Amino acid sequence: SYLLPIVEYSCIVWGGCSAHDCSSLQKLQNEAARIVTGLTRSVSLDNLYRECGWVPLAERRRQQKLIFMYRSVNGLVPTYITDLIPPPVREINSYALRNQNDITIPFCRTEISRKSCISSSISAWNSLSIGLRNSSSLASFKYQLKRQQNSSKVPVFYNVGNRYLSVLHARIRNFCSNLNFDLYSNHLLPSPACSCSCDIEDAEHYFFTCLKYTNERVTLFQSTRHFHPLNLHVLLLGDDNLSIEDNTTIFTAVQVFIKDTKRFIRN
């Protein structure tokens, strides 16, 4: 995170680039997120970003524009920048309009002009609530913005243990593992059935009923006996009612189960 000020330097200036260039940059971040999480291309972008706690580049540029506008409106930037910001609607119109507290958006003849730094930043600013715009300090404004963003906080126990086993755990959690049901759902197998029976080999079957892993399952249940009754949600996502240490214990036991079953280990 300490590199973000360098990476995002002047991003609001070049943020009006073409849709093709924006898409190319976003695809680059998507690929980086897949490397970080170990998830595959079959995972939806919503799940991918939830797993790593990131937000799309467009949202990050929007936040930078809003911070720029807060600085400009509150005189926290040089005058040569504040001089570029038009006055509020109330100062150029005597009528009591609903948008009187908005900043006047400059006339834009072209789409390029509309997407330029000043015009797009003002549009984003006007979309905020009055209460947020009137935040008492820049720190308070940033805090409120962060609370509104759609990113989720990644539990620390998601990264517990061996990297490879942690990735396998994450893939089961996001339905992109080598379980037959996940492969079938992604059109990579003709059938989701498990080799042990006619049952579907999904995560529920793998952890709780598959006859091939009875001994490994006993070890798993013994390691987590203090947290019974277990369910698939707890094994894959943890339990909000438990401490970080307890969730770490559960995740460690799950990864031992994954390792001992050798279900995902390549020959």
Side-chain angles (χ1 to χ4, degrees):
S1 60
Y2 64 92
L3 290 177
L4 284 181
I6 299 175
V7 174
E8 295 182 336
Y9 181 74
S10 294
C11 68
I12 62 174
V13 176
W14 57 258
C17 59
S18 68
H20 178 268
D21 289 338
C22 287
S23 176
S24 297
L25 287 170
Q26 186 59 58
K27 288 178 181 178
L28 182 63
Q29 177 171 275
N30 294 346
E31 192 61 32
R34 293 187 186 99
I35 293 173
V36 169
T37 61
L39 301 182
T40 67
R41 289 182 175 272
S42 62
V43 175
S44 69
L45 292 180
D46 287 341
N47 286 355
L48 178 65
Y49 278 83
R50 183 192 64 205
E51 189 71 27
C52 62
W54 295 0
V55 293
L57 292 178
E59 176 60 22
R60 283 164 57 181
R61 289 195 294 271
R62 176 180 174 273
Q63 291 181 14
Q64 291 299 316
K65 289 179 180 180
L66 293 173
I67 293 172
F68 163 75
M69 286 301 302
Y70 184 91
R71 292 177 181 273
S72 300
V73 170
N74 290 278
L76 302 177
V77 294
T79 55
Y80 63 81
I81 294 181
T82 57
D83 290 344
L84 298 175
I85 307 300
V89 172
R90 64 177 179 272
E91 294 185 11
I92 61 175
N93 196 314
S94 58
Y95 295 99
L97 302 176
R98 286 181 297 177
N99 65 338
Q100 61 181 344
N101 293 315
D102 290 354
I103 295 177
T104 306
I105 300 177
F107 173 73
C108 300
R109 189 181 300 275
T110 64
E111 182 68 12
I112 293 177
S113 178
R114 186 185 67 80
K115 293 171 61 178
S116 64
C117 175
I118 299 298
S119 297
S120 61
S121 296
I122 293 175
S123 295
W125 177 260
N126 290 343
S127 68
L128 296 180
S129 66
I130 299 298
L132 182 53
R133 291 187 233 174
N134 292 334
S135 297
S136 58
S137 66
L138 179 59
S140 175
F141 181 74
K142 289 181 178 179
Y143 174 76
Q144 295 297 328
L145 274 184
K146 189 173 183 179
R147 288 188 60 187
Q148 289 186 358
Q149 76 181 28
N150 294 324
S151 65
S152 57
K153 185 176 181 181
V154 181
V156 295
F157 49 86
Y158 273 26
N159 300 314
V160 67
N162 176 274
R163 159 73 177 172
Y164 181 60
L165 297 176
S166 178
V167 167
L168 294 179
H169 195 177
R171 288 180 178 178
I172 299 174
R173 182 164 56 243
N174 288 278
F175 309 102
C176 63
S177 71
N178 284 344
L179 291 174
N180 289 348
F181 177 77
D182 293 344
L183 294 174
Y184 173 78
S185 299
N186 291 311
H187 311 289
L188 297 174
L189 271 186
S191 170
C194 180
S195 60
C196 77
S197 65
C198 60
D199 290 338
I200 293 175
E201 190 193 36
D202 56 10
E204 183 81 26
H205 174 77
Y206 172 64
F207 284 112
F208 292 101
T209 62
C210 185
L211 300 177
K212 296 183 295 184
Y213 311 124
T214 301
N215 294 333
E216 293 83 359
R217 187 172 300 111
V218 170
T219 301
L220 170 64
F221 288 168
Q222 287 178 342
S223 301
T224 56
R225 60 185 178 276
H226 298 299
F227 314 110
H228 290 185
L230 293 176
N231 56 56
L232 188 63
H233 184 278
V234 172
L235 294 183
L236 297 183
L237 300 170
D239 189 337
D240 293 337
N241 297 317
L242 297 177
S243 66
I244 293 176
E245 291 75 16
D246 289 342
N247 278 299
T248 298
T249 298
I250 294 173
F251 269 51
T252 300
V254 169
Q255 291 177 23
V256 169
F257 177 83
I258 293 173
K259 179 182 178 181
D260 290 346
T261 60
K262 299 182 175 61
R263 174 61 181 82
F264 308 100
I265 307 300
R266 298 186 182 92
N267 295 324

